[in-house]
Amino acid sequence: MGRQPRSEADKVHDRIAVLRADRGVSRKELADAVGVHPQTIGYVERGEYSPSLALALRIARFFDVPVEAVFSLDPLPSLSEELLRRTT
């Protein structure tokens, strides 16, 4: 599994909560689908736990998106900022 980030540079940023809301998926449903406890999903969403590569790939597969669309070492811009940038 993953581990707690040791520093800000070690923190993994994610869009799991946004993807869950968009798809109408609860933490429990996602956790069951990827084989972890629902608390693990909460820890990852809050940045308190860095997912293992295998878990990150299973989450991306669940949402049918590239892993880079879900996780980043750099803070992710809000989706509204990203859409605005694409239209200008």
Side-chain angles (χ1 to χ4, degrees):
M1 284 300 251
R3 60 183 174 73
Q4 290 185 335
R6 292 186 188 136
S7 68
E8 188 61 31
D10 212 20
K11 185 175 179 182
V12 175
H13 302 271
D14 71 85
R15 284 196 173 123
I16 297 172
V18 172
L19 290 165
R20 283 192 314 97
D22 182 59
R23 311 281 171 93
V25 175
S26 70
R27 282 184 181 161
K28 179 168 178 16
E29 290 168 325
L30 175 58
D32 289 346
V34 299
V36 297
H37 193 279
Q39 283 182 325
T40 301
I41 299 299
Y43 293 144
V44 173
E45 285 181 350
R46 292 188 302 274
E48 297 171 6
Y49 185 78
S50 295
S52 66
L53 177 57
L55 177 56
L57 291 169
R58 288 195 309 267
I59 291 170
R61 179 189 290 164
F62 176 85
F63 289 115
D64 195 28
V65 296
V67 72
E68 297 88 357
V70 184
F71 298 99
S72 175
L73 292 175
D74 299 315
L76 292 159
S78 73
L79 292 179
S80 58
E81 288 175 17
E82 210 168 286
L83 289 172
L84 183 60
R85 196 171 340 134
R86 290 181 186 179
T87 59
T88 56

mmCIF file of all heavy atoms in Angstrom, residues 3-49:
data_model
loop_
_atom_site.group_PDB
_atom_site.id
_atom_site.type_symbol
_atom_site.label_atom_id
_atom_site.label_comp_id
_atom_site.label_asym_id
_atom_site.label_seq_id
_atom_site.Cartn_x
_atom_site.Cartn_y
_atom_site.Cartn_z
ATOM 1 N N ARG A 3 1.735 5.273 1.728
ATOM 2 C CA ARG A 3 2.277 5.728 3.001
ATOM 3 C C ARG A 3 1.907 7.177 3.212
ATOM 4 O O ARG A 3 1.450 7.847 2.304
ATOM 5 C CB ARG A 3 3.783 5.564 3.030
ATOM 6 C CG ARG A 3 4.467 6.346 1.936
ATOM 7 C CD ARG A 3 5.958 6.108 1.955
ATOM 8 N NE ARG A 3 6.603 6.728 0.842
ATOM 9 C CZ ARG A 3 6.815 8.022 0.676
ATOM 10 N NH1 ARG A 3 6.411 8.867 1.572
ATOM 11 N NH2 ARG A 3 7.422 8.494 -0.373
ATOM 12 N N GLN A 4 2.162 7.640 4.433
ATOM 13 C CA GLN A 4 1.915 9.044 4.725
ATOM 14 C C GLN A 4 3.016 9.873 4.064
ATOM 15 O O GLN A 4 4.188 9.504 4.123
ATOM 16 C CB GLN A 4 1.911 9.293 6.222
ATOM 17 C CG GLN A 4 0.714 8.706 6.909
ATOM 18 C CD GLN A 4 0.683 9.083 8.367
ATOM 19 O OE1 GLN A 4 1.700 9.366 8.977
ATOM 20 N NE2 GLN A 4 -0.503 9.068 8.935
ATOM 21 N N PRO A 5 2.645 11.009 3.438
ATOM 22 C CA PRO A 5 3.673 11.872 2.849
ATOM 23 C C PRO A 5 4.584 12.431 3.936
ATOM 24 O O PRO A 5 4.124 12.831 4.996
ATOM 25 C CB PRO A 5 2.879 12.995 2.183
ATOM 26 C CG PRO A 5 1.453 12.650 2.298
ATOM 27 C CD PRO A 5 1.312 11.508 3.235
ATOM 28 N N ARG A 6 5.884 12.448 3.674
ATOM 29 C CA ARG A 6 6.847 12.971 4.647
ATOM 30 C C ARG A 6 7.007 14.477 4.550
ATOM 31 O O ARG A 6 7.372 15.133 5.507
ATOM 32 C CB ARG A 6 8.206 12.302 4.425
ATOM 33 C CG ARG A 6 8.185 10.852 4.764
ATOM 34 C CD ARG A 6 9.567 10.257 4.676
ATOM 35 N NE ARG A 6 9.445 8.822 4.817
ATOM 36 C CZ ARG A 6 10.075 7.952 4.071
ATOM 37 N NH1 ARG A 6 10.900 8.347 3.136
ATOM 38 N NH2 ARG A 6 9.905 6.673 4.256
ATOM 39 N N SER A 7 6.794 15.011 3.365
ATOM 40 C CA SER A 7 6.945 16.448 3.162
ATOM 41 C C SER A 7 5.943 16.903 2.114
ATOM 42 O O SER A 7 5.289 16.093 1.465
ATOM 43 C CB SER A 7 8.363 16.769 2.680
ATOM 44 O OG SER A 7 8.555 16.262 1.377
ATOM 45 N N GLU A 8 5.849 18.216 1.931
ATOM 46 C CA GLU A 8 4.947 18.765 0.914
ATOM 47 C C GLU A 8 5.349 18.277 -0.477
ATOM 48 O O GLU A 8 4.500 18.002 -1.314
ATOM 49 C CB GLU A 8 4.941 20.291 0.974
ATOM 50 C CG GLU A 8 3.900 20.946 0.091
ATOM 51 C CD GLU A 8 2.455 20.575 0.436
ATOM 52 O OE1 GLU A 8 2.161 20.310 1.609
ATOM 53 O OE2 GLU A 8 1.624 20.536 -0.484
ATOM 54 N N ALA A 9 6.647 18.141 -0.726
ATOM 55 C CA ALA A 9 7.128 17.665 -2.025
ATOM 56 C C ALA A 9 6.735 16.215 -2.279
ATOM 57 O O ALA A 9 6.671 15.769 -3.418
ATOM 58 C CB ALA A 9 8.637 17.822 -2.116
ATOM 59 N N ASP A 10 6.451 15.486 -1.217
ATOM 60 C CA ASP A 10 6.093 14.074 -1.292
ATOM 61 C C ASP A 10 4.583 13.866 -1.423
ATOM 62 O O ASP A 10 4.123 12.756 -1.657
ATOM 63 C CB ASP A 10 6.588 13.394 -0.013
ATOM 64 C CG ASP A 10 6.984 11.964 -0.219
ATOM 65 O OD1 ASP A 10 7.252 11.563 -1.357
ATOM 66 O OD2 ASP A 10 7.030 11.237 0.792
ATOM 67 N N LYS A 11 3.821 14.931 -1.266
ATOM 68 C CA LYS A 11 2.361 14.836 -1.266
ATOM 69 C C LYS A 11 1.829 14.564 -2.669
ATOM 70 O O LYS A 11 2.284 15.155 -3.638
ATOM 71 C CB LYS A 11 1.755 16.133 -0.728
ATOM 72 C CG LYS A 11 0.266 16.086 -0.568
ATOM 73 C CD LYS A 11 -0.248 17.350 0.087
ATOM 74 C CE LYS A 11 -1.744 17.277 0.215
ATOM 75 N NZ LYS A 11 -2.285 18.493 0.810
ATOM 76 N N VAL A 12 0.856 13.665 -2.745
ATOM 77 C CA VAL A 12 0.195 13.354 -4.011
ATOM 78 C C VAL A 12 -1.156 14.066 -4.009
ATOM 79 O O VAL A 12 -1.972 13.873 -3.109
ATOM 80 C CB VAL A 12 -0.001 11.832 -4.178
ATOM 81 C CG1 VAL A 12 -0.789 11.516 -5.428
ATOM 82 C CG2 VAL A 12 1.351 11.133 -4.205
ATOM 83 N N HIS A 13 -1.369 14.898 -5.003
ATOM 84 C CA HIS A 13 -2.636 15.615 -5.152
ATOM 85 C C HIS A 13 -3.562 14.771 -6.027
ATOM 86 O O HIS A 13 -3.091 14.042 -6.901
ATOM 87 C CB HIS A 13 -2.387 16.985 -5.788
ATOM 88 C CG HIS A 13 -1.430 17.826 -4.993
ATOM 89 N ND1 HIS A 13 -1.854 18.660 -3.982
ATOM 90 C CD2 HIS A 13 -0.086 17.934 -5.038
ATOM 91 C CE1 HIS A 13 -0.803 19.254 -3.450
ATOM 92 N NE2 HIS A 13 0.286 18.829 -4.076
ATOM 93 N N ASP A 14 -4.859 14.900 -5.795
ATOM 94 C CA ASP A 14 -5.782 14.059 -6.561
ATOM 95 C C ASP A 14 -7.104 14.759 -6.832
ATOM 96 O O ASP A 14 -7.405 15.793 -6.244
ATOM 97 C CB ASP A 14 -6.035 12.747 -5.814
ATOM 98 C CG ASP A 14 -6.885 12.958 -4.584
ATOM 99 O OD1 ASP A 14 -8.120 12.976 -4.719
ATOM 100 O OD2 ASP A 14 -6.325 13.130 -3.481
ATOM 101 N N ARG A 15 -7.841 14.165 -7.750
ATOM 102 C CA ARG A 15 -9.182 14.634 -8.097
ATOM 103 C C ARG A 15 -10.228 13.562 -7.826
ATOM 104 O O ARG A 15 -11.273 13.529 -8.463
ATOM 105 C CB ARG A 15 -9.231 14.989 -9.586
ATOM 106 C CG ARG A 15 -8.570 16.275 -9.933
ATOM 107 C CD ARG A 15 -9.010 16.715 -11.322
ATOM 108 N NE ARG A 15 -8.496 18.036 -11.573
ATOM 109 C CZ ARG A 15 -7.721 18.344 -12.593
ATOM 110 N NH1 ARG A 15 -7.382 17.433 -13.477
ATOM 111 N NH2 ARG A 15 -7.293 19.574 -12.766
ATOM 112 N N ILE A 16 -9.964 12.702 -6.874
ATOM 113 C CA ILE A 16 -10.894 11.603 -6.620
ATOM 114 C C ILE A 16 -12.270 12.123 -6.227
ATOM 115 O O ILE A 16 -13.288 11.659 -6.744
ATOM 116 C CB ILE A 16 -10.349 10.652 -5.532
ATOM 117 C CG1 ILE A 16 -9.058 9.999 -6.022
ATOM 118 C CG2 ILE A 16 -11.378 9.577 -5.191
ATOM 119 C CD1 ILE A 16 -8.350 9.194 -4.955
ATOM 120 N N ALA A 17 -12.335 13.085 -5.318
ATOM 121 C CA ALA A 17 -13.635 13.596 -4.854
ATOM 122 C C ALA A 17 -14.433 14.191 -6.012
ATOM 123 O O ALA A 17 -15.648 13.988 -6.105
ATOM 124 C CB ALA A 17 -13.441 14.621 -3.746
ATOM 125 N N VAL A 18 -13.760 14.898 -6.901
ATOM 126 C CA VAL A 18 -14.434 15.493 -8.061
ATOM 127 C C VAL A 18 -14.967 14.397 -8.975
ATOM 128 O O VAL A 18 -16.117 14.453 -9.436
ATOM 129 C CB VAL A 18 -13.470 16.422 -8.839
ATOM 130 C CG1 VAL A 18 -14.085 16.899 -10.135
ATOM 131 C CG2 VAL A 18 -13.055 17.599 -7.967
ATOM 132 N N LEU A 19 -14.151 13.400 -9.237
ATOM 133 C CA LEU A 19 -14.582 12.297 -10.100
ATOM 134 C C LEU A 19 -15.719 11.512 -9.460
ATOM 135 O O LEU A 19 -16.675 11.123 -10.139
ATOM 136 C CB LEU A 19 -13.403 11.373 -10.410
ATOM 137 C CG LEU A 19 -12.347 11.969 -11.333
ATOM 138 C CD1 LEU A 19 -11.068 11.149 -11.284
ATOM 139 C CD2 LEU A 19 -12.866 12.066 -12.752
ATOM 140 N N ARG A 20 -15.637 11.294 -8.154
ATOM 141 C CA ARG A 20 -16.718 10.583 -7.468
ATOM 142 C C ARG A 20 -18.019 11.352 -7.567
ATOM 143 O O ARG A 20 -19.074 10.782 -7.875
ATOM 144 C CB ARG A 20 -16.381 10.352 -5.991
ATOM 145 C CG ARG A 20 -15.418 9.259 -5.731
ATOM 146 C CD ARG A 20 -15.319 8.850 -4.263
ATOM 147 N NE ARG A 20 -15.219 9.946 -3.295
ATOM 148 C CZ ARG A 20 -16.242 10.451 -2.610
ATOM 149 N NH1 ARG A 20 -17.451 9.982 -2.769
ATOM 150 N NH2 ARG A 20 -16.041 11.438 -1.738
ATOM 151 N N ALA A 21 -17.957 12.665 -7.327
ATOM 152 C CA ALA A 21 -19.167 13.496 -7.398
ATOM 153 C C ALA A 21 -19.738 13.497 -8.806
ATOM 154 O O ALA A 21 -20.954 13.384 -8.987
ATOM 155 C CB ALA A 21 -18.848 14.921 -6.948
ATOM 156 N N ASP A 22 -18.868 13.608 -9.792
ATOM 157 C CA ASP A 22 -19.313 13.625 -11.185
ATOM 158 C C ASP A 22 -20.009 12.325 -11.573
ATOM 159 O O ASP A 22 -20.980 12.338 -12.324
ATOM 160 C CB ASP A 22 -18.109 13.864 -12.102
ATOM 161 C CG ASP A 22 -18.498 13.931 -13.554
ATOM 162 O OD1 ASP A 22 -19.322 14.813 -13.908
ATOM 163 O OD2 ASP A 22 -18.006 13.097 -14.348
ATOM 164 N N ARG A 23 -19.527 11.220 -11.047
ATOM 165 C CA ARG A 23 -20.076 9.904 -11.411
ATOM 166 C C ARG A 23 -21.115 9.398 -10.417
ATOM 167 O O ARG A 23 -21.685 8.323 -10.609
ATOM 168 C CB ARG A 23 -18.950 8.870 -11.511
ATOM 169 C CG ARG A 23 -17.752 9.289 -12.352
ATOM 170 C CD ARG A 23 -17.992 9.144 -13.836
ATOM 171 N NE ARG A 23 -16.924 9.752 -14.609
ATOM 172 C CZ ARG A 23 -15.854 9.137 -15.069
ATOM 173 N NH1 ARG A 23 -15.674 7.862 -14.826
ATOM 174 N NH2 ARG A 23 -14.970 9.797 -15.786
ATOM 175 N N GLY A 24 -21.328 10.145 -9.335
ATOM 176 C CA GLY A 24 -22.299 9.720 -8.330
ATOM 177 C C GLY A 24 -21.864 8.472 -7.578
ATOM 178 O O GLY A 24 -22.685 7.609 -7.268
ATOM 179 N N VAL A 25 -20.563 8.386 -7.267
ATOM 180 C CA VAL A 25 -19.999 7.217 -6.608
ATOM 181 C C VAL A 25 -19.612 7.580 -5.172
ATOM 182 O O VAL A 25 -18.965 8.600 -4.944
ATOM 183 C CB VAL A 25 -18.741 6.735 -7.379
ATOM 184 C CG1 VAL A 25 -18.044 5.601 -6.660
ATOM 185 C CG2 VAL A 25 -19.098 6.345 -8.801
ATOM 186 N N SER A 26 -20.005 6.759 -4.221
ATOM 187 C CA SER A 26 -19.636 7.001 -2.821
ATOM 188 C C SER A 26 -18.213 6.494 -2.565
ATOM 189 O O SER A 26 -17.652 5.724 -3.357
ATOM 190 C CB SER A 26 -20.600 6.275 -1.883
ATOM 191 O OG SER A 26 -20.392 4.871 -1.962
ATOM 192 N N ARG A 27 -17.648 6.908 -1.441
ATOM 193 C CA ARG A 27 -16.330 6.391 -1.054
ATOM 194 C C ARG A 27 -16.376 4.872 -0.909
ATOM 195 O O ARG A 27 -15.461 4.171 -1.305
ATOM 196 C CB ARG A 27 -15.864 7.017 0.262
ATOM 197 C CG ARG A 27 -15.336 8.398 0.116
ATOM 198 C CD ARG A 27 -14.793 8.920 1.431
ATOM 199 N NE ARG A 27 -14.304 10.282 1.249
ATOM 200 C CZ ARG A 27 -14.103 11.128 2.226
ATOM 201 N NH1 ARG A 27 -14.349 10.763 3.471
ATOM 202 N NH2 ARG A 27 -13.663 12.344 1.979
ATOM 203 N N LYS A 28 -17.457 4.382 -0.323
ATOM 204 C CA LYS A 28 -17.587 2.935 -0.125
ATOM 205 C C LYS A 28 -17.638 2.203 -1.449
ATOM 206 O O LYS A 28 -16.983 1.165 -1.610
ATOM 207 C CB LYS A 28 -18.813 2.611 0.715
ATOM 208 C CG LYS A 28 -18.975 1.107 0.924
ATOM 209 C CD LYS A 28 -19.978 0.772 1.972
ATOM 210 C CE LYS A 28 -20.208 -0.702 2.191
ATOM 211 N NZ LYS A 28 -19.279 -1.642 1.690
ATOM 212 N N GLU A 29 -18.397 2.713 -2.396
ATOM 213 C CA GLU A 29 -18.482 2.052 -3.706
ATOM 214 C C GLU A 29 -17.116 2.015 -4.390
ATOM 215 O O GLU A 29 -16.726 0.982 -4.952
ATOM 216 C CB GLU A 29 -19.502 2.767 -4.599
ATOM 217 C CG GLU A 29 -20.929 2.577 -4.150
ATOM 218 C CD GLU A 29 -21.906 3.503 -4.849
ATOM 219 O OE1 GLU A 29 -21.544 4.670 -5.150
ATOM 220 O OE2 GLU A 29 -23.044 3.062 -5.093
ATOM 221 N N LEU A 30 -16.401 3.140 -4.349
ATOM 222 C CA LEU A 30 -15.075 3.181 -4.950
ATOM 223 C C LEU A 30 -14.133 2.236 -4.210
ATOM 224 O O LEU A 30 -13.399 1.461 -4.830
ATOM 225 C CB LEU A 30 -14.518 4.605 -4.935
ATOM 226 C CG LEU A 30 -13.082 4.767 -5.444
ATOM 227 C CD1 LEU A 30 -12.934 4.255 -6.874
ATOM 228 C CD2 LEU A 30 -12.649 6.222 -5.339
ATOM 229 N N ALA A 31 -14.157 2.279 -2.889
ATOM 230 C CA ALA A 31 -13.285 1.414 -2.090
ATOM 231 C C ALA A 31 -13.539 -0.055 -2.392
ATOM 232 O O ALA A 31 -12.590 -0.835 -2.582
ATOM 233 C CB ALA A 31 -13.488 1.699 -0.605
ATOM 234 N N ASP A 32 -14.805 -0.450 -2.455
ATOM 235 C CA ASP A 32 -15.141 -1.841 -2.763
ATOM 236 C C ASP A 32 -14.621 -2.231 -4.144
ATOM 237 O O ASP A 32 -14.100 -3.328 -4.342
ATOM 238 C CB ASP A 32 -16.653 -2.066 -2.704
ATOM 239 C CG ASP A 32 -17.207 -2.025 -1.289
ATOM 240 O OD1 ASP A 32 -16.415 -2.085 -0.318
ATOM 241 O OD2 ASP A 32 -18.445 -1.916 -1.152
ATOM 242 N N ALA A 33 -14.740 -1.328 -5.099
ATOM 243 C CA ALA A 33 -14.324 -1.617 -6.477
ATOM 244 C C ALA A 33 -12.810 -1.770 -6.615
ATOM 245 O O ALA A 33 -12.339 -2.519 -7.470
ATOM 246 C CB ALA A 33 -14.826 -0.524 -7.416
ATOM 247 N N VAL A 34 -12.055 -1.028 -5.787
ATOM 248 C CA VAL A 34 -10.588 -1.071 -5.920
ATOM 249 C C VAL A 34 -9.921 -1.887 -4.814
ATOM 250 O O VAL A 34 -8.694 -1.995 -4.778
ATOM 251 C CB VAL A 34 -9.969 0.349 -6.004
ATOM 252 C CG1 VAL A 34 -10.498 1.085 -7.226
ATOM 253 C CG2 VAL A 34 -10.201 1.149 -4.736
ATOM 254 N N GLY A 35 -10.719 -2.455 -3.911
ATOM 255 C CA GLY A 35 -10.190 -3.376 -2.920
ATOM 256 C C GLY A 35 -9.513 -2.766 -1.705
ATOM 257 O O GLY A 35 -8.534 -3.315 -1.202
ATOM 258 N N VAL A 36 -10.027 -1.615 -1.245
ATOM 259 C CA VAL A 36 -9.490 -1.003 -0.030
ATOM 260 C C VAL A 36 -10.643 -0.628 0.901
ATOM 261 O O VAL A 36 -11.810 -0.693 0.523
ATOM 262 C CB VAL A 36 -8.630 0.256 -0.332
ATOM 263 C CG1 VAL A 36 -7.409 -0.114 -1.159
ATOM 264 C CG2 VAL A 36 -9.447 1.343 -1.008
ATOM 265 N N HIS A 37 -10.309 -0.207 2.102
ATOM 266 C CA HIS A 37 -11.302 0.255 3.071
ATOM 267 C C HIS A 37 -11.751 1.663 2.672
ATOM 268 O O HIS A 37 -10.935 2.450 2.200
ATOM 269 C CB HIS A 37 -10.664 0.265 4.477
ATOM 270 C CG HIS A 37 -11.664 0.422 5.561
ATOM 271 N ND1 HIS A 37 -12.173 1.647 5.922
ATOM 272 C CD2 HIS A 37 -12.264 -0.491 6.358
ATOM 273 C CE1 HIS A 37 -13.040 1.486 6.897
ATOM 274 N NE2 HIS A 37 -13.115 0.193 7.188
ATOM 275 N N PRO A 38 -13.012 2.011 2.882
ATOM 276 C CA PRO A 38 -13.468 3.368 2.555
ATOM 277 C C PRO A 38 -12.645 4.472 3.218
ATOM 278 O O PRO A 38 -12.461 5.541 2.640
ATOM 279 C CB PRO A 38 -14.918 3.391 3.050
ATOM 280 C CG PRO A 38 -15.349 1.965 3.000
ATOM 281 C CD PRO A 38 -14.118 1.154 3.327
ATOM 282 N N GLN A 39 -12.122 4.227 4.424
ATOM 283 C CA GLN A 39 -11.283 5.233 5.084
ATOM 284 C C GLN A 39 -10.029 5.525 4.270
ATOM 285 O O GLN A 39 -9.542 6.657 4.263
ATOM 286 C CB GLN A 39 -10.877 4.775 6.482
ATOM 287 C CG GLN A 39 -11.972 4.914 7.499
ATOM 288 C CD GLN A 39 -11.502 4.493 8.880
ATOM 289 O OE1 GLN A 39 -10.702 3.568 9.022
ATOM 290 N NE2 GLN A 39 -12.005 5.175 9.897
ATOM 291 N N THR A 40 -9.517 4.517 3.579
ATOM 292 C CA THR A 40 -8.327 4.726 2.754
ATOM 293 C C THR A 40 -8.611 5.736 1.658
ATOM 294 O O THR A 40 -7.786 6.617 1.398
ATOM 295 C CB THR A 40 -7.856 3.388 2.133
ATOM 296 O OG1 THR A 40 -7.571 2.471 3.197
ATOM 297 C CG2 THR A 40 -6.626 3.585 1.269
ATOM 298 N N ILE A 41 -9.771 5.639 1.049
ATOM 299 C CA ILE A 41 -10.145 6.605 0.005
ATOM 300 C C ILE A 41 -10.198 8.005 0.616
ATOM 301 O O ILE A 41 -9.696 8.960 0.030
ATOM 302 C CB ILE A 41 -11.492 6.228 -0.650
ATOM 303 C CG1 ILE A 41 -11.411 4.842 -1.321
ATOM 304 C CG2 ILE A 41 -11.923 7.300 -1.655
ATOM 305 C CD1 ILE A 41 -10.391 4.718 -2.438
ATOM 306 N N GLY A 42 -10.767 8.134 1.797
ATOM 307 C CA GLY A 42 -10.816 9.429 2.475
ATOM 308 C C GLY A 42 -9.434 9.977 2.772
ATOM 309 O O GLY A 42 -9.168 11.164 2.555
ATOM 310 N N TYR A 43 -8.538 9.131 3.255
ATOM 311 C CA TYR A 43 -7.166 9.563 3.534
ATOM 312 C C TYR A 43 -6.465 10.045 2.267
ATOM 313 O O TYR A 43 -5.772 11.066 2.279
ATOM 314 C CB TYR A 43 -6.336 8.430 4.151
ATOM 315 C CG TYR A 43 -6.764 8.000 5.531
ATOM 316 C CD1 TYR A 43 -6.685 6.669 5.907
ATOM 317 C CD2 TYR A 43 -7.239 8.910 6.471
ATOM 318 C CE1 TYR A 43 -7.066 6.249 7.171
ATOM 319 C CE2 TYR A 43 -7.620 8.502 7.730
ATOM 320 C CZ TYR A 43 -7.538 7.169 8.080
ATOM 321 O OH TYR A 43 -7.915 6.766 9.336
ATOM 322 N N VAL A 44 -6.660 9.313 1.165
ATOM 323 C CA VAL A 44 -6.031 9.711 -0.101
ATOM 324 C C VAL A 44 -6.614 11.044 -0.570
ATOM 325 O O VAL A 44 -5.878 11.954 -0.961
ATOM 326 C CB VAL A 44 -6.204 8.615 -1.181
ATOM 327 C CG1 VAL A 44 -5.705 9.109 -2.548
ATOM 328 C CG2 VAL A 44 -5.459 7.341 -0.787
ATOM 329 N N GLU A 45 -7.938 11.184 -0.508
ATOM 330 C CA GLU A 45 -8.587 12.428 -0.943
ATOM 331 C C GLU A 45 -8.083 13.635 -0.146
ATOM 332 O O GLU A 45 -7.945 14.720 -0.706
ATOM 333 C CB GLU A 45 -10.107 12.327 -0.775
ATOM 334 C CG GLU A 45 -10.784 11.471 -1.803
ATOM 335 C CD GLU A 45 -12.294 11.406 -1.624
ATOM 336 O OE1 GLU A 45 -12.816 11.872 -0.594
ATOM 337 O OE2 GLU A 45 -12.948 10.891 -2.527
ATOM 338 N N ARG A 46 -7.831 13.458 1.131
ATOM 339 C CA ARG A 46 -7.371 14.565 1.980
ATOM 340 C C ARG A 46 -5.864 14.772 1.930
ATOM 341 O O ARG A 46 -5.338 15.678 2.570
ATOM 342 C CB ARG A 46 -7.817 14.331 3.427
ATOM 343 C CG ARG A 46 -9.316 14.438 3.629
ATOM 344 C CD ARG A 46 -9.697 14.383 5.095
ATOM 345 N NE ARG A 46 -9.262 13.177 5.772
ATOM 346 C CZ ARG A 46 -9.938 12.029 5.814
ATOM 347 N NH1 ARG A 46 -11.095 11.927 5.190
ATOM 348 N NH2 ARG A 46 -9.462 10.995 6.478
ATOM 349 N N GLY A 47 -5.159 13.944 1.185
ATOM 350 C CA GLY A 47 -3.715 14.082 1.079
ATOM 351 C C GLY A 47 -2.968 13.566 2.289
ATOM 352 O O GLY A 47 -1.792 13.866 2.471
ATOM 353 N N GLU A 48 -3.626 12.779 3.124
ATOM 354 C CA GLU A 48 -3.000 12.233 4.325
ATOM 355 C C GLU A 48 -2.300 10.908 4.047
ATOM 356 O O GLU A 48 -1.621 10.369 4.922
ATOM 357 C CB GLU A 48 -4.056 12.022 5.414
ATOM 358 C CG GLU A 48 -4.704 13.313 5.870
ATOM 359 C CD GLU A 48 -5.885 13.077 6.789
ATOM 360 O OE1 GLU A 48 -6.152 11.918 7.176
ATOM 361 O OE2 GLU A 48 -6.568 14.067 7.106
ATOM 362 N N TYR A 49 -2.474 10.369 2.851
ATOM 363 C CA TYR A 49 -1.962 9.056 2.508
ATOM 364 C C TYR A 49 -1.660 9.048 1.018
ATOM 365 O O TYR A 49 -2.505 9.434 0.211
ATOM 366 C CB TYR A 49 -3.034 8.025 2.858
ATOM 367 C CG TYR A 49 -2.652 6.581 2.675
ATOM 368 C CD1 TYR A 49 -1.855 5.937 3.593
ATOM 369 C CD2 TYR A 49 -3.131 5.864 1.597
ATOM 370 C CE1 TYR A 49 -1.530 4.606 3.441
ATOM 371 C CE2 TYR A 49 -2.818 4.531 1.436
ATOM 372 C CZ TYR A 49 -2.012 3.906 2.363
ATOM 373 O OH TYR A 49 -1.695 2.593 2.206
#
